[in-house]
């Protein structure tokens, strides 16, 4: 999610993306303020019999000063405030384009607050956490030094160090492995017999039912780098293994061979909902809720 990002075109300049992000967060804040104020007005209509002294006492005990006809004030949620400050004061912007980000943002708008699992810790991580305000957003990252660097600036992000044993040059052999019957069996990845299943994550990663999963790591930008083969397969297995409902899974950099082939094979073209730029969006239903469902439709 960092060094493997492609240079942006002039139409996708960092300045434009920064302005878009700041505007989006500001509009979200205004929406929160408006909805809270409207609700409070309906619940606290002034009584005609209230005396001047009673009104004065009520106003003097209000937690924060208010304008006329506004009985209370609303603070920006910490995740939103931190995101506004961060993106307003940095020249570094998320690697995904506005159109790509919008795909995931539309799903978050419907599902948040929810459980959101992200493979990778990058410059867009604070944005994802803010868009999922009130939910749980967890980041899995293979670079320990990068985790420490991010924690120094953004201590509130929940991230875990993970390791990937396979390299990009092993992709063809792993794709063939994934076609075996044991890789079509839906189970907790920790008990799977498939070589592609990742089993070394913290236990809660397997125990939480994730509403969204974003695969934007590991790096996978050269043959000897850790590839996303196992991450894509495991994301699909976690989605299928939930008790009920469905999981939205996103894969970035699908212009690359591994992301293209493995997302089609293990997240399934039949579950593909949308592709925007280098991002694919799949919606995978629970396979435990209906026995006999094929691995791919």
């Amino acid at each position: 999610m960092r060094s493997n990002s492609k240079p942006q075109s002039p139409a996708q300049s960092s300045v434009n993306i920064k302005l878009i992000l700041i505007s989006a967060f500001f509009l979200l804040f205004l929406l929160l303020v408006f909805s809270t104020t409207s609700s409070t007005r309906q619940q606290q209509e002034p009584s005609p019999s209230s005396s001047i002294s009673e009104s004065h006492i009520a106003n003097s005990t209000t937690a924060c000063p208010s304008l006329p006809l506004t009985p209370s004030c609303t603070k920006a949620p910490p995740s939103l405030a931190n995101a506004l400050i961060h993106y307003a004061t940095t020249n570094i912007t998320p690697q995904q384009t506005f159109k790509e980000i919008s795909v995931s943002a539309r799903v978050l708008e419907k599902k948040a607050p929810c459980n959101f699992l992200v493979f990778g810790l990058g410059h867009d991580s604070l944005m994802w956490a803010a868009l999922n305000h009130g939910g749980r957003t967890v980041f899995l990252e293979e670079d320990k030094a990068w985790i420490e660097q991010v924690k120094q600036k953004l201590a509130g992000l929940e991230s875990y160090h993970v390791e990937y044993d396979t390299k990009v040059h092993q992709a063809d052999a792993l794709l063939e492995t994934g076609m075996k019957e044991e890789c079509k069996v839906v189970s907790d990845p920790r008990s799977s017999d498939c070589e592609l299943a990742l089993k070394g994550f913290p236990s809660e990663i397997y125990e939480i039912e994730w509403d969204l999963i974003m695969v934007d790591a590991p790096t996978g930008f050269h043959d000897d780098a850790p590839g996303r083969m196992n991450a894509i397969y495991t994301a699909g297995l976690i989605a299928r293994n939930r008790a009920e409902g469905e999981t939205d899974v996103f894969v970035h950099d699908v212009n690359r061979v591994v992301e293209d082939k493995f997302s089609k094979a293990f997240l399934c073209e039949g579950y593909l909902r949308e592709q925007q730029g280098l991002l694919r969006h799949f919606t995978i239903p629970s396979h435990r809720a209906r026995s006999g469902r094929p691995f791919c439709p």
Side-chain angles (χ1 to χ4, degrees), residues 7-27:
Q8 295 181 329
S9 65
Q12 299 165 349
S13 67
S14 60
V15 175
N16 288 338
I17 295 180
K18 181 192 293 186
L19 291 174
I20 291 168
L21 285 171
I22 293 174
S23 300
F25 287 129
F26 182 68
L27 288 173

Side-chain angles (χ1 to χ4, degrees), residues 187-236:
S187 65
D188 185 314
R190 292 171 293 184
S191 60
S192 173
D193 291 328
C194 182
E195 292 180 30
L196 283 167
L198 292 168
K199 304 180 180 183
F201 295 161
S203 59
E204 57 191 315
I205 300 300
Y206 304 102
E207 294 161 4
I208 294 172
E209 292 200 344
W210 299 101
D211 302 295
L212 282 79
I213 302 177
M214 173 77 70
V215 181
D216 206 1
T219 51
F221 59 89
H222 60 78
D223 281 352
D224 291 322
R228 297 180 187 174
M229 301 81 68
N230 302 71
I232 292 171
Y233 175 83
T234 303

Side-chain angles (χ1 to χ4, degrees), residues 27-251:
L27 288 173
L28 177 59
F29 173 59
L30 289 180
L31 180 60
L32 288 171
V33 172
F34 177 77
S35 60
T36 303
T37 302
S38 299
S39 175
T40 308
R41 284 180 181 173
Q42 293 175 359
Q43 297 173 8
Q44 299 183 5
E45 291 294 335
S47 172
S49 60
S50 298
S51 64
I52 296 177
S53 60
E54 289 174 336
S55 300
H56 177 73
I57 292 172
N59 288 333
S60 65
T61 57
T62 302
C64 51
S66 59
L67 297 173
L69 301 179
T70 307
S72 64
C73 62
T74 303
K75 292 183 179 180
S79 60
L80 178 58
N82 290 337
L84 280 168
I85 294 170
H86 174 74
Y87 290 114
T89 57
T90 182
N91 291 324
I92 301 174
T93 52
Q95 291 89 345
Q96 294 186 26
T97 66
F98 173 72
K99 289 184 178 181
E100 291 167 354
I101 290 171
S102 297
V103 175
S104 308
R106 285 194 296 270
V107 178
L108 279 169
E109 184 180 5
K110 295 177 182 179
K111 291 193 171 185
C114 63
N115 294 320
F116 187 10
L117 178 65
V118 184
F119 286 77
L121 181 67
H123 300 302
D124 51 5
S125 296
L126 186 59
M127 176 191 69
W128 296 129
L131 290 174
N132 190 31
H133 171 67
R136 186 174 185 181
T137 307
V138 176
F139 302 92
L140 304 178
E141 171 61 40
E142 79 263 28
D143 188 337
K144 276 187 177 181
W146 175 247
I147 292 176
E148 293 306 314
Q149 185 178 336
V150 171
K151 280 185 175 180
Q152 290 178 5
K153 297 180 180 179
L154 307 169
L157 295 180
E158 183 179 359
S159 59
Y160 298 95
H161 176 250
V162 296
E163 295 181 351
Y164 301 98
D165 296 327
T166 55
K167 308 296 183 182
V168 172
H169 65 79
Q170 298 173 275
D172 289 341
L174 289 171
L175 186 61
E176 185 175 342
T177 295
M179 298 299 109
K180 296 179 179 179
E181 284 304 312
E182 59 264 30
C183 294
K184 305 297 182 182
V185 177
V186 175
S187 65
D188 185 314
R190 292 171 293 184
S191 60
S192 173
D193 291 328
C194 182
E195 292 180 30
L196 283 167
L198 292 168
K199 304 180 180 183
F201 295 161
S203 59
E204 57 191 315
I205 300 300
Y206 304 102
E207 294 161 4
I208 294 172
E209 292 200 344
W210 299 101
D211 302 295
L212 282 79
I213 302 177
M214 173 77 70
V215 181
D216 206 1
T219 51
F221 59 89
H222 60 78
D223 281 352
D224 291 322
R228 297 180 187 174
M229 301 81 68
N230 302 71
I232 292 171
Y233 175 83
T234 303
L237 194 57
I238 289 173
R240 291 177 175 86
N241 194 52
R242 65 181 297 152
E244 58 184 8
E246 60 186 25
T247 302
D248 292 279
V249 182
F250 306 88
V251 179

Side-chain angles (χ1 to χ4, degrees), residues 247-265:
T247 302
D248 292 279
V249 182
F250 306 88
V251 179
H252 195 225
D253 298 316
V254 295
N255 60 313
R256 304 191 307 198
V257 174
V258 167
E259 286 78 357
D260 176 42
K261 288 186 176 181
F262 277 73
S263 65
K264 288 179 179 178

